[in-house]
Amino acid sequence: MSTLILNDVSYQYKGAEKQTIRNLSAKFEPSTLYSIAGPSGSGKSTLLSLLAGLDLPKEGTIEFDGKSLSDIDLDLYRRRDIAMIFQAFHLFPLLTAIENVCFPMKINGVPSNEAKKTAKSLLEHVGITEEQSKRFPSKLSGGEQQRVAIARSLASGAKIIIADEPTGNLDVENTHKVMELLKNLAMNEGYCIIVVTHDMEVAKMADVKYRMSGGMLEEVLFYAHCGT
Amino acid sequence: MNENDIRSSRENVPFKESLSYTFMRIYRSKGKTLIVFALTTFLVGAVGFLAMTMAQYEELFETVKIKTTATGFSSNAIEMMSQSDLGDVVYYQGHMRVIATKDDFPVPLIVTNDTQRYIESIGFAGDVVIESHLALDENIIPNEKPILFMGRDIAKWLGIGLDDTLYLLEEEQIKALQFLYQSEEYLTSIGLADRPYEEILESIIAESSLSFKVVGLIQSNNAELDMSFFAPLHKAVHQINGLKIAFGEEGLPIILDFSEFQLLDNFRIDDYSTLLQEMASQSREDGSLDAKHFTDTSRLYSIAHVRDLLNVFFPIAAFIAIALSVVAIGLTMTQSIKEMALLRILGITANRTRTIFIFEHFFVTVIGTLLAMGFLMFFNIRLFANSASIILLFCVLYLFACSFTSFIASAVMAKKKPLELLQVKE
């Protein structure tokens, strides 16, 4: 089971006057959909970087399955243990949908035929047809692209998915579809999904809701209808 | 899905996949690839063409023949030019009268290094037959004694044939021999009376005269040619200059009717001109020359001027070409910022990410360079071969600059945080 534990994590950018993240402790477990909401500048992107192994905390530790990130190969960690999806989807524009999904498998040494077979299965799982899978991202709608991105994140075998404003560029219908998909992955397939969002409606859908403010994370038990 | 199906390998990113991804990028990003490719081909081709033009002008400069013609130069001039390394004695001719001993008949002695050319120069259009045991090439003229070609009529009149020796004596020497011939008493007094008289005469003549080996007989049906002697001057000039002979003032060099020289090294034209001036000043004490014509050297100087301009312009053009490519590659690299960031987020190492993009640009520029060189070779293989070293040097610098640019650009991007790079507007 893949678990991320943050112990008193602090981070300060070089030259910054104050810490962007202060004594942050949290636990992210499987089979759970987490949301992290907060205003701009609250440290959400920094937290994402730390969780994704793109940077290391200045103080404290981040542990993945009991091992500190500072003690493991972070490139390997990002290749097989953690996946990210983005507001702007960030699919490879020169690869078709199915090639995008195959990519993480191929870089993990999965043979081409096997990767293709698995990619087809994943795309079907997220609701992308075979015809759509042969298109380039520019020929897919926003919702379709995000679903391909989700399939790609599943392809590496990672059990932790970090989603940075995954519905930011989607309409209401597609927002709902994507969030349902993520919820399903968490609830029924054991994924740990961490969604960073400004959208309160999206934040409310999470099993565990966090609010980030001033570099600190606090759990929110419920959101008021009009509150933040 | 089965976790094991996905995680069948935990090795580092296979190099084959990186390479495959790189070639896929090259193939699918047709627009960008074509731009870099076309730019490379054009720039390398243009600079290469400039190098070939330089080579052509260099060749033109060295092959322009500067010939100098002069009338009134002396035989000393021939010696001076022959002994210097500045010029070649292409042709000379002088025309003197020699008194043949038989019935005091004056005949022309033409000093020339090219009998055939002399005959053409006097406009004789008839057939000329030169009988000789040698090829008519002064390079194989025997060095042991001066040589002579004779008109067949004069040869017959004097009873001389091929391979015979002809002696030329000055007037005073002839008088002395006549005296000897008539005075047996004198011979007896000097102890030569018991030797055959002809033998005595021969030994005296051989010691005190200028002898020529007759190596060719000329028959042309032209009265003057058939009664003339032809001798290359420079082989015998040291002997002629020292003799007091009827066909020149005592002790002075022979004045030539016409001489022609050719500059051997175009880079030393100034030294050559100086030598010609010196030769002219030595030709006559009174400094007179009938005419002097120097080949117009303005063409050579024009070519040298263009050549020098090209030599200055070439490094500038090469620099501009490299600079343009560096800018183009820098721009295409910045357009790949997000892709590089994404590769890093997906777990490709920083080094491998850099390698993918550096290799991509290197590959395209190498192919473009090879294509440009192919065009240049097709255009003119000889000129390409002559300028190959400078073209290859430029290509190496070009490829190095392009690769270095993509290396630096990727290194700069690698220092930034991937998530930040994803936010950058391309």
Side-chain angles (χ1 to χ4, degrees):
Chain A
M1 299 298 253
S2 301
T3 306
L4 265 175
I5 302 173
L6 285 78
N7 295 314
D8 272 328
V9 166
S10 296
Y11 189 91
Q12 185 171 358
Y13 286 100
K14 228 183 210 179
E17 284 179 5
K18 54 180 183 177
Q19 289 176 321
T20 309
I21 293 178
R22 289 184 293 153
N23 303 110
L24 194 150
S25 295
K27 190 175 183 181
F28 298 98
E29 292 175 307
S31 302
T32 311
L33 174 64
Y34 296 88
S35 69
I36 301 175
S40 296
S42 58
K44 299 192 302 296
S45 297
T46 308
L47 180 60
L48 284 184
S49 284
L50 295 174
L51 291 174
L54 293 168
D55 209 340
L56 289 170
K58 303 301 179 198
E59 290 170 19
T61 58
I62 300 176
E63 288 178 7
F64 171 74
D65 284 352
K67 291 186 204 160
S68 171
L69 290 192
S70 56
D71 296 332
I72 63 173
D73 180 344
L74 291 176
D75 292 316
L76 204 60
Y77 168 69
R78 286 197 302 278
R79 210 148 69 224
R80 68 176 193 197
D81 298 317
I82 201 157
M84 286 191 78
I85 56 177
F86 306 92
Q87 179 178 351
F89 324 125
H90 290 309
L91 296 174
F92 289 111
L94 297 176
L95 299 179
T96 60
I98 192 167
E99 287 169 344
N100 264 281
V101 178
C102 285
F103 189 83
M105 289 185 271
K106 284 185 171 180
I107 63 173
N108 275 316
V110 176
S112 196
N113 288 341
E114 204 178 310
K116 205 167 179 179
K117 194 172 146 197
T118 307
K120 274 185 185 169
S121 164
L122 288 170
L123 284 167
E124 196 183 317
H125 186 60
V126 299
I128 296 293
T129 65
E130 188 167 343
E131 191 273 329
Q132 286 169 332
S133 72
K134 292 174 187 169
R135 294 187 203 164
F136 288 96
S138 56
K139 302 292 183 200
L140 296 170
S141 71
E144 287 163 354
Q145 286 188 59
Q146 194 62 291
R147 278 180 277 149
V148 172
I150 293 170
R152 183 179 68 184
S153 69
L154 300 175
S156 64
K159 282 301 191 182
I160 300 177
I161 297 174
I162 301 172
D164 184 9
E165 300 278 4
T167 60
N169 284 351
L170 303 178
D171 56 27
V172 172
E173 187 188 340
N174 280 304
T175 295
H176 186 72
K177 280 184 184 170
V178 164
M179 287 312 297
E180 281 301 316
L181 183 56
L182 291 174
K183 208 170 167 68
N184 181 53
L185 286 170
M187 240 170 29
N188 298 327
E189 297 187 35
Y191 284 85
C192 170
I193 302 191
I194 306 166
V195 175
V196 171
T197 184
H198 285 116
D199 188 337
M200 288 303 113
E201 293 303 316
V202 168
K204 280 186 210 173
M205 293 173 77
D207 301 320
V208 178
K209 301 171 253 303
Y210 284 111
R211 179 176 163 73
M212 189 125 184
S213 175
M216 297 182 74
L217 204 65
E218 58 178 315
E219 190 169 350
V220 175
L221 294 175
F222 68 92
Y223 283 107
H225 182 65
C226 298
T228 54
Chain B
M1 71 252 48
N2 189 336
E3 181 181 319
N4 290 332
D5 291 333
I6 299 166
R7 294 192 190 189
S8 59
S9 171
R10 289 175 188 268
E11 294 168 344
N12 285 331
V13 177
F15 186 74
K16 189 187 90 174
E17 290 307 324
S18 306
L19 202 62
S20 166
Y21 178 72
T22 307
F23 281 116
M24 181 281 306
R25 272 185 53 82
I26 291 170
Y27 176 68
R28 290 194 184 174
S29 55
K30 289 192 177 72
K32 282 183 205 170
T33 304
L34 262 177
I35 287 170
V36 174
F37 178 74
L39 189 67
T40 298
T41 306
F42 172 74
L43 291 173
V44 172
V47 173
F49 187 77
L50 191 61
M52 284 166 62
T53 306
M54 279 167 56
Q56 189 166 35
Y57 269 88
E58 198 70 41
E59 199 178 275
L60 198 60
F61 178 80
E62 290 180 17
T63 56
V64 165
K65 300 288 179 205
I66 298 295
K67 282 194 180 172
T68 308
T69 60
T71 56
F73 267 3
S74 74
S75 53
N76 277 341
I78 303 300
E79 275 296 283
M80 285 175 73
M81 190 58 80
S82 302
Q83 286 165 4
S84 81
D85 58 351
L86 292 169
D88 193 15
V89 181
V90 177
Y91 177 67
Y92 61 82
Q93 67 176 55
H95 198 177
M96 294 151 230
R97 306 296 290 179
V98 173
I99 299 180
T101 54
K102 195 167 182 179
D103 303 326
D104 291 333
F105 188 79
V107 295
L109 171 65
I110 293 118
V111 286
T112 176
N113 64 337
D114 189 337
T115 305
Q116 190 74 35
R117 184 165 167 178
Y118 171 79
I119 292 169
E120 288 166 7
S121 75
I122 64 170
F124 178 67
D127 290 331
V128 176
V129 176
I130 300 178
E131 183 189 346
S132 175
H133 293 157
L134 304 172
L136 294 179
D137 178 348
E138 68 171 31
N139 289 326
I140 59 167
I141 290 172
N143 287 323
E144 65 274 14
K145 59 170 70 176
I147 63 163
L148 197 73
F149 288 83
M150 295 177 69
R152 189 173 284 280
D153 289 348
I154 183 70
K156 190 177 170 183
W157 184 51
L158 294 175
I160 294 172
L162 272 179
D163 299 326
D164 282 346
T165 300
L166 178 74
Y167 297 94
L168 295 182
L169 297 161
E170 60 172 320
E171 195 168 358
E172 290 301 317
Q173 286 175 309
I174 293 171
K175 285 177 183 170
L177 281 173
Q178 283 174 333
F179 173 75
L180 283 173
Y181 186 75
Q182 288 159 5
S183 176
E184 278 192 56
E185 191 179 326
Y186 176 72
L187 286 175
T188 307
S189 75
I190 60 173
L192 294 176
D194 50 346
R195 287 172 63 189
Y197 194 66
E198 290 76 15
E199 191 184 303
I200 296 169
L201 278 181
E202 278 177 18
S203 68
I204 294 172
I205 289 169
E207 280 175 24
S208 54
S209 67
L210 181 59
S211 65
F212 293 85
K213 181 173 177 178
V214 179
V215 297
L217 298 175
I218 297 172
Q219 181 164 4
S220 67
N221 295 327
N222 177 288
E224 188 168 347
L225 285 176
D226 290 348
M227 285 296 286
S228 295
F229 297 143
F230 296 88
L233 178 68
H234 68 281
K235 297 293 183 185
V237 66
H238 62 284
Q239 285 129 324
I240 291 175
N241 285 345
L243 287 178
K244 298 173 186 178
I245 45 182
F247 50 87
E249 290 188 37
E250 285 190 33
L252 287 181
I254 299 164
I255 300 301
L256 300 171
D257 298 331
F258 177 85
S259 49
E260 189 177 284
F261 309 103
Q262 182 173 305
L263 173 63
L264 290 176
D265 181 353
N266 287 351
F267 290 96
R268 298 180 67 190
I269 188 168
D270 292 335
D271 292 339
Y272 174 74
S273 296
T274 304
L275 178 61
L276 288 170
Q277 295 297 335
E278 195 182 327
M279 281 156 50
S281 69
Q282 287 186 11
S283 287
R284 278 189 181 270
E285 277 188 2
D286 61 2
S288 66
L289 288 175
D290 295 334
K292 187 167 68 182
H293 303 283
F294 282 3
T295 301
D296 182 13
T297 57
S298 60
R299 182 166 172 248
L300 186 68
Y301 284 123
S302 296
I303 292 170
H305 186 62
V306 173
R307 183 200 64 180
D308 293 341
L309 275 175
L310 287 173
N311 283 340
V312 167
F313 185 61
F314 180 80
I316 296 172
F319 175 79
I320 291 171
I322 290 174
L324 282 173
S325 283
V326 161
V327 167
I329 285 174
L331 285 173
T332 54
M333 286 291 282
T334 55
Q335 288 183 341
S336 305
I337 285 177
K338 288 188 180 176
E339 197 169 337
M340 290 176 75
L342 190 55
L343 288 171
R344 294 282 293 118
I345 290 168
L346 289 175
I348 309 279
T349 61
N351 279 344
R352 185 61 64 84
T353 304
R354 269 198 298 273
T355 305
I356 287 169
F357 289 89
I358 292 169
F359 179 77
E360 177 189 341
H361 287 101
F362 179 76
F363 181 80
V364 173
T365 49
V366 163
I367 298 297
T369 301
L370 290 173
L371 187 67
M373 292 216 278
F375 281 139
L376 293 173
M377 279 196 267
F378 178 74
F379 180 74
N380 191 316
I381 184 92
R382 188 181 58 79
L383 279 179
F384 179 84
N386 288 346
S387 50
S389 57
I390 197 166
I391 290 176
L392 285 173
L393 178 64
F394 168 72
C395 288
V396 166
L397 285 172
Y398 181 87
L399 290 172
F400 174 77
C402 291
S403 300
F404 188 70
T405 302
S406 47
F407 174 80
I408 293 293
S410 59
V412 166
M413 285 185 231
K415 283 190 179 295
K416 297 188 185 297
K417 299 189 190 304
L419 285 181
E420 281 177 31
L421 292 177
L422 284 181
Q423 315 292 338
V424 170
K425 283 192 192 307
E426 285 179 352

